[in-house]
């Protein structure tokens, strides 16, 4: 980006977002990568949470029986539909939905930003990008995600760390095959 900062507009920044520039230039590639990943994944998490809540709102309003249904958030915590959306009025339900969406958005952003930053840092420190970096970053990110759950146990933290390491390692090893 060779443009002068005074002549760039917000619209120009939005157009260049997917070209690797992101919204901000924080002065270091690590910070840029973490911020870029966090913003993208947090947006995806917010859309996912709103879409899920909208689905359950419509299903409940149409009279479908959802009594035995549970949903699972990004940390693996099972929840009943409308767990907190049963307010006395619409405002309490809206507040609960915004709170739930914010939490899930943060969790998605945390996972993406942390994983991206760790893989970048490990690649720079070790001098190579391989499955070992992915396994370490996945394990640390999985454990951090488990800590954001409403109630977390030692077993859940270890389980999320193992799952994060396995998924990220598999993704790294399968890159280029498909």
């Amino acid at each position: 980006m060779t443009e002068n900062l005074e002549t760039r507009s917000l619209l120009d920044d939005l157009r260049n977002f997917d070209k690797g520039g992101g919204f901000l230039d924080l002065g270091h590639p690590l910070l840029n990568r973490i911020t870029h990943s966090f913003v993208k994944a947090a947006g995806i998490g917010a859309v996912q949470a709103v879409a899920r809540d909208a689905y359950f709102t419509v299903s409940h309003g149409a009279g479908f029986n959802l009594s035995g249904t549970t949903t699972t958030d990004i940390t693996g915590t099972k929840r009943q539909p409308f767990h907190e959306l049963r307010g006395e009025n619409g405002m309490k339900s809206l507040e609960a939905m915004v709170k739930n969406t914010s939490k899930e958005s943060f969790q998605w952003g945390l996972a993406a930003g942390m994983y991206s930053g760790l893989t970048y840092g490990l690649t720079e420190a070790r001098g190579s990008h391989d499955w070992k970096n992915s396994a370490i970053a996945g394990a640390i990110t999985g454990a951090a995600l488990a800590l954001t759950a409403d109630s977390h146990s030692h077993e859940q933290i270890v389980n999320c760390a193992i799952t994060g390491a396995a998924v990220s390692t598999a993704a790294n090893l399968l890159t280029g095959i498909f």
Side-chain angles (χ1 to χ4, degrees):
M1 298 180 111
T2 60
E3 297 177 32
N4 190 355
L5 287 177
E6 286 105 23
T7 61
R8 276 191 350 210
S9 68
L10 178 62
L11 194 55
D12 292 333
D13 286 342
L14 289 173
R15 285 186 190 126
N16 293 327
F17 187 70
D18 280 335
K19 295 179 183 172
F23 281 124
L24 302 170
D25 183 10
L26 299 175
H28 193 277
L30 175 63
L31 296 175
N32 292 341
R33 178 175 241 168
I34 291 170
T35 303
H36 188 74
S37 298
F38 183 92
V39 168
K40 278 185 157 182
I44 292 168
V47 169
Q48 185 267 344
V50 168
R52 186 188 59 237
D53 287 344
Y55 166 76
F56 284 120
T57 301
V58 169
S59 298
H60 183 70
F64 295 129
N65 183 9
L66 299 173
S67 59
T69 306
T70 60
T71 61
T72 306
D73 66 7
I74 193 171
T75 62
T77 305
K78 293 190 178 197
R79 299 178 181 192
Q80 292 291 331
F82 302 111
H83 170 66
E84 295 174 345
L85 298 180
R86 295 183 185 177
E88 299 105 39
N89 56 33
M91 189 54 106
K92 293 233 184 228
S93 296
L94 180 63
E95 288 173 11
M97 187 177 81
V98 168
K99 181 180 174 186
N100 182 42
T101 301
S102 299
K103 180 178 179 182
E104 286 203 33
S105 178
F106 173 75
Q107 289 171 333
W108 281 68
L110 173 74
M114 182 176 255
Y115 180 80
S116 180
L118 284 169
T119 54
Y120 179 84
L122 288 168
T123 299
E124 291 296 313
R126 295 184 63 237
S128 67
H129 178 70
D130 58 5
W131 67 270
K132 296 172 191 173
N133 294 350
S134 297
I136 293 168
I140 293 171
T141 302
L145 268 178
L147 292 172
T148 65
D150 292 333
S151 61
H152 52 271
S153 64
H154 173 72
E155 292 82 20
Q156 184 183 15
I157 294 169
V158 171
N159 193 8
C160 286
I162 292 169
T163 303
V167 168
S168 61
T169 303
N172 183 279
L173 293 175
L174 294 175
T175 300
I177 293 177
F178 294 105

